[in-house]
Amino acid sequence: MSHFVSKMGYIPHTADDGEDCIRVLEESDDEMHVLLLDISMPGKDGFEVMNYLKTNHYQFPVIMVTASNEIPLAVKCIKMGAFEYLTKPVSMDRLEIVLRNALAESNLQNEVIKLQKELKSKEIFQNIIGKSTALRDTMEQAMMVMETDLNVLILGESGTGKELFAQSIHKGSKRKKGPFVSVNCAAISNDLADSLLFGHIKGSFTGANNDHIGFFEQADRGTIFLDEIGDMNADIQAKVLRALQERKIRKVGEKTERSVDFRVISATNRDFSQAIMDNQFREDLYFRLEEFPLCIPPLRDRGDDIWLLAKHFLDEFASANNLDSLQFSDEALASLLDYTWPGNIRELKNAVQRAAVTRKSTIIEMLPTPRIHGKTPSMPALHQQESNGMAVTQPSSAFSLEDHEREAIIKAYGLSRGNLTRTAKMLGIGRATLYRKLDKFSLQHLKNG
């Protein structure tokens, strides 16, 4: 059998019996595409292998190989999910046809599963805009963990959209019908922590005129999102740790505890390693929260997502204020990439809105220079100087004129999407001149698009 399968162009993995089959599946680094499975085997028989495949969610097709007097058993296997059965002695012509059909159906099913995942991803992440590799990798990690009950710790700079990812994880989880409770940990004072987090009963303290349900109980059968967890008071950390360990809470004024079913997603922009070293954050709580870490990339690492987000915010602003359609000039779009956006998406949205307010026409030529407390940040600014019709950064003694010229060509080439005629026009030079400069600056590969 192995010999003929090899002659058909496939790579066979053989196993002596059911137990050996399971071992091969568990230990092999290769992806299996189809299984030829006997029914009567020592140790684990074909039915037990089928049950193992079902329990462990293997998706490949199974072809049963059986003696003629075992056909009713083979039919039973098909009802359990097997693709087809072959009787011994196996015809190699028949085997080739069944293998080809099984693999074709498997490929079709995989394509359907892929499309279903893409549709689910678009639905779950509909509020997250971008298509960069860094963002898509983060989405894939979120998809992996969302259907589990692991606690997720979302790490990222301020303004990167950590709460949007937390909402998406909840939306794609088995708890999606339950509540999503968002808590700003930095705003909880030590005096009110017990009442806010765990609730209180009427008369438990002065001013407790009614029963109050705390955040953890509000999140029962749902998700509690602990935002800015790194800024939580040390005393409150101990109380939260106990709630996570026991999955029980006690309201202020109550003598008994009650069980609560919740999942924790937390987020911070702090460096936990330094906070733990400085005894500002409990290490045991950190490991409870960080069952699955998820790092959100900063906007400066998301490439063309900056343009997509800027255009989205501009369209959103125009629609909300009943304005005609607004657009960015090529120079304004180029300037978006020349700034590091320390405030990330939140800062970009503010900059776009300010530009829309101060525009002189429906074309936005320049984005206002970002300022913090009235001062320009000490980093590459959005303010540009015009040179040869192309927006380039403020001159620096570290770069020669030729360096700036080469950079201008690369930027114009990117903005024109590889069209050399538009690149030359944008630079204010002829196409022949552009070709000479491509050779001069060792950019000949751009001639091929």
Coordinates of all heavy atoms in Angstrom, one line a residue, residues 1 63-71 74 84-91 94:
M1 N 0.8 -1.2 0.0 CA 0.0 0.0 0.0 C 0.9 1.3 0.0 O 0.7 2.2 -0.8 CB -0.9 0.0 1.2 CG -1.9 1.2 1.3 SD -3.3 1.0 0.2 CE -4.3 -0.2 1.1
I63 N -10.4 7.2 4.9 CA -10.9 6.2 4.0 C -10.7 4.8 4.8 O -9.6 4.5 5.2 CB -10.1 6.2 2.7 CG1 -10.2 7.5 2.0 CG2 -10.5 5.0 1.8 CD1 -9.3 7.7 0.8
M64 N -11.8 4.1 5.0 CA -11.7 2.9 5.7 C -11.3 1.7 4.8 O -11.7 1.7 3.6 CB -13.1 2.5 6.3 CG -13.7 3.6 7.2 SD -12.6 4.1 8.6 CE -12.4 2.5 9.4
V65 N -10.4 0.9 5.3 CA -10.0 -0.3 4.5 C -10.4 -1.5 5.3 O -10.0 -1.7 6.4 CB -8.4 -0.3 4.3 CG1 -8.0 -1.5 3.5 CG2 -8.0 1.0 3.6
T66 N -11.3 -2.3 4.7 CA -11.9 -3.4 5.5 C -12.1 -4.7 4.6 O -12.1 -4.6 3.4 CB -13.2 -2.9 6.0 OG1 -13.8 -3.9 6.8 CG2 -14.2 -2.6 4.9
A67 N -12.2 -5.8 5.3 CA -12.6 -7.1 4.6 C -14.0 -7.0 4.2 O -14.8 -6.3 4.7 CB -12.3 -8.2 5.6
S68 N -14.4 -7.9 3.2 CA -15.7 -7.8 2.7 C -16.8 -8.1 3.7 O -17.9 -7.6 3.6 CB -15.8 -8.8 1.5 OG -15.5 -10.1 1.9
N69 N -16.5 -9.0 4.7 CA -17.5 -9.3 5.7 C -17.6 -8.2 6.8 O -18.4 -8.4 7.7 CB -17.1 -10.7 6.4 CG -15.8 -10.7 7.1 OD1 -15.0 -9.7 6.9 ND2 -15.5 -11.7 7.9
E70 N -16.8 -7.2 6.7 CA -16.9 -6.1 7.6 C -17.5 -4.8 7.1 O -17.5 -3.7 7.7 CB -15.5 -5.7 8.1 CG -14.8 -6.8 8.9 CD -13.4 -6.4 9.3 OE1 -12.7 -5.6 8.6 OE2 -12.9 -6.8 10.4
I71 N -18.2 -4.9 5.9 CA -18.8 -3.8 5.3 C -19.8 -3.1 6.2 O -19.8 -1.8 6.3 CB -19.4 -4.2 3.9 CG1 -18.3 -4.5 2.9 CG2 -20.3 -3.1 3.4 CD1 -18.8 -5.0 1.6
A74 N -17.9 -0.8 8.3 CA -17.4 0.3 7.5 C -18.4 1.4 7.3 O -18.2 2.6 7.4 CB -16.9 -0.2 6.2
E84 N -15.1 7.4 2.9 CA -15.4 6.3 1.9 C -14.8 5.0 2.5 O -14.0 5.0 3.5 CB -14.8 6.6 0.6 CG -15.1 5.6 -0.5 CD -16.5 5.4 -0.8 OE1 -17.1 4.6 -0.1 OE2 -17.1 6.0 -1.8
Y85 N -15.1 3.8 2.0 CA -14.4 2.6 2.4 C -14.0 1.8 1.2 O -14.6 1.9 0.1 CB -15.3 1.8 3.3 CG -16.5 1.1 2.6 CD1 -16.4 -0.1 2.0 CD2 -17.8 1.8 2.6 CE1 -17.5 -0.7 1.4 CE2 -18.8 1.2 2.0 CZ -18.7 -0.1 1.4 OH -19.8 -0.7 0.8
L86 N -12.9 1.0 1.3 CA -12.4 0.1 0.3 C -12.3 -1.3 0.9 O -12.0 -1.4 2.1 CB -11.0 0.6 -0.1 CG -10.8 2.0 -0.7 CD1 -9.4 2.3 -0.9 CD2 -11.5 2.0 -2.1
T87 N -12.7 -2.3 0.0 CA -12.6 -3.6 0.5 C -11.3 -4.3 0.0 O -10.8 -4.0 -1.0 CB -13.8 -4.4 0.0 OG1 -13.8 -4.4 -1.4 CG2 -15.1 -3.9 0.5
K88 N -10.8 -5.2 0.9 CA -9.6 -6.0 0.6 C -9.9 -7.1 -0.4 O -11.0 -7.8 -0.2 CB -9.0 -6.5 1.8 CG -8.6 -5.4 2.8 CD -8.1 -6.1 4.1 CE -7.8 -5.0 5.2 NZ -7.4 -5.6 6.5
P89 N -9.1 -7.5 -1.3 CA -7.8 -6.8 -1.7 C -8.1 -5.5 -2.4 O -9.1 -5.4 -3.2 CB -7.1 -7.8 -2.6 CG -8.2 -8.6 -3.2 CD -9.3 -8.7 -2.1
V90 N -7.4 -4.5 -2.1 CA -7.7 -3.1 -2.6 C -7.2 -3.0 -4.0 O -6.0 -3.3 -4.3 CB -7.0 -2.1 -1.7 CG1 -7.2 -0.7 -2.3 CG2 -7.5 -2.1 -0.3
S91 N -8.1 -2.5 -4.9 CA -7.7 -2.2 -6.2 C -6.9 -0.9 -6.2 O -7.4 0.1 -5.8 CB -8.9 -2.1 -7.1 OG -8.6 -1.4 -8.3
R94 N -8.8 1.8 -8.0 CA -9.9 2.4 -7.2 C -9.3 3.2 -6.1 O -9.9 4.3 -5.8 CB -10.7 1.2 -6.6 CG -11.7 1.5 -5.6 CD -12.9 2.3 -6.2 NE -13.9 2.6 -5.1 CZ -14.8 3.6 -5.2 NH1 -14.7 4.4 -6.3 NH2 -15.7 3.8 -4.3

